[in-house]
Amino acid sequence: MEKNNELNDRACQILKILVERYINDGQPVGSRALSKESNVKLSSASIRNVVADLEDMGLVTSPHTSSGRIPTVNGYRVFIDTLLTINPLSESSIKNLRERLRQTAEPTQMLSTASQLLSDVSRMAGLVTLPQETVHIFRHIEFLPVSENRVLVILVTNEQEVHHRVVKPEHKCSPSELVEAANYLNSVYSGKEINEVRISLDNMLQQAMEIVERQAARAAHVASLAFNSDQKDDDYLLAGQTNLMDFSELGNLAQLRNLFEMFNHKQKILNLIDVCSSEPCANDSGVNIVIGEESGEEALGSCSLITSPYLVGGKVAGVVGVIGPTRMHYDQVIPLVDITAKLLGEALNQKKTSP
């Protein structure tokens, strides 16, 4: 399609209004509704032609046989990257966020508060990834049987970081086997880096199986489960997932089931954050956005993820973000995520430098 500057200007104006109307109302937007906008100086016929052009460009689509249109993922992308006007948060809102974060005494509590704040203010799901230290040192471990096939692991790393997780060994381990495994780990590996322990345990498990040492194999197996990276439960905090049930476009039972199942897969969320971090920033705000199918996850086909990094000691420590429907008020959520990331970094840095 041949385009000139006048058509481009018209197309941008109509697309901006159409996306804003759809975000506000949640209903397909027709040419008649567009013609009633006070700043649209086009005839109904001209509007229909522009909307048809937008559809040809893949920026809008018709969800059914009605004449109304809704934005596509590409339409949202153009809107966010080039047409969106971001309204900064009020000073009172920023003050409230800052005070809520500073009310918490411990850094981990600050992270949890940040995820809850994002959820409360946006009425969607709030996400915060925890700072990942470059080195994790193994200090102590204990195994406690909680049922016939479940074992509680109490793992202490670095100075006084305590991690709890439940693992399911393939074979039942007696209490004495668990004590022996813990005693062995504590005597041999205390002070060593976690990845080094994990590699050594994997090798031990393989050797024990090769020489058919059943008892050694069972002890090595339960120990390796405790250090398996897929068992970590402290990579991110997610709050307000149930808020997503309030949006009609996410209300389909099968869709909700797929969405909540994805929330239970840590690696999928972390991969999604990586995808989001590779997207261009919105309006030079430092905020990254993944829209719908851009995530590569079918369960998120009707969702967007908005994230921004927070800094500790001048380095990126993690990200904060909001997960919600693609039909969200980006002009409000983007500054919320942006300022929350800055305030969280500010609070963590103050806690780090305070005596």
Side-chain angles (χ1 to χ4, degrees), residues 101 104 106-119 124-132 163 232-241 263-264 266 269-270 273 305-307 310 317-323 340 344 348:
L101 284 172
T104 53
E106 298 299 327
T108 302
Q109 291 177 328
M110 287 184 185
L111 298 167
S112 179
T113 298
S115 65
Q116 191 62 56
L117 279 173
L118 288 166
S119 172
M124 292 178 274
L127 171 73
V128 176
T129 63
L130 276 63
Q132 297 301 301
H163 312 264
K232 292 191 297 181
D233 56 3
D234 55 356
D235 291 296
Y236 62 87
L237 300 168
L238 193 61
Q241 303 96 304
F263 287 152
N264 289 327
K266 179 199 71 176
I269 295 292
L270 297 178
I273 292 170
L305 171 63
I306 302 178
T307 66
Y310 64 90
V319 301
V320 306
V322 166
I323 300 175
T340 302
L344 177 60
L348 289 171

Side-chain angles (χ1 to χ4, degrees), residues 188-201:
V188 174
Y189 295 113
S190 182
K192 296 186 181 297
E193 203 269 323
I194 288 291
N195 283 333
E196 181 183 349
V197 178
R198 184 180 296 115
I199 293 171
S200 177
L201 286 172

Side-chain angles (χ1 to χ4, degrees), residues 4 9 31 41-42 46 49 51-52 111 119 141 144 154 158 190 239 251-253 270 279 300 311 319 340 350 354-355:
N4 53 46
D9 290 341
S31 300
K41 308 301 182 183
L42 297 173
S46 296
N49 289 336
V51 171
L111 298 167
S119 172
I141 197 167
L144 301 176
I154 303 173
N158 297 330
S190 182
N252 178 278
L253 185 59
L270 297 178
E279 290 295 324
L300 288 171
L311 307 181
V319 301
T340 302
Q350 288 180 351
S354 62

Side-chain angles (χ1 to χ4, degrees), residues 158-178:
N158 297 330
E159 296 308 317
Q160 295 181 346
E161 297 178 11
V162 181
H163 312 264
H164 299 86
R165 65 195 62 151
V166 174
V167 299
K168 297 181 179 180
E170 293 179 359
H171 304 283
K172 181 180 178 181
C173 294
S174 67
S176 61
E177 288 175 330
L178 295 176

Side-chain angles (χ1 to χ4, degrees), residues 269-284:
I269 295 292
L270 297 178
N271 290 342
L272 178 60
I273 292 170
D274 289 339
V275 171
C276 199
S277 298
S278 67
E279 290 295 324
C281 295
N283 293 328
D284 299 321

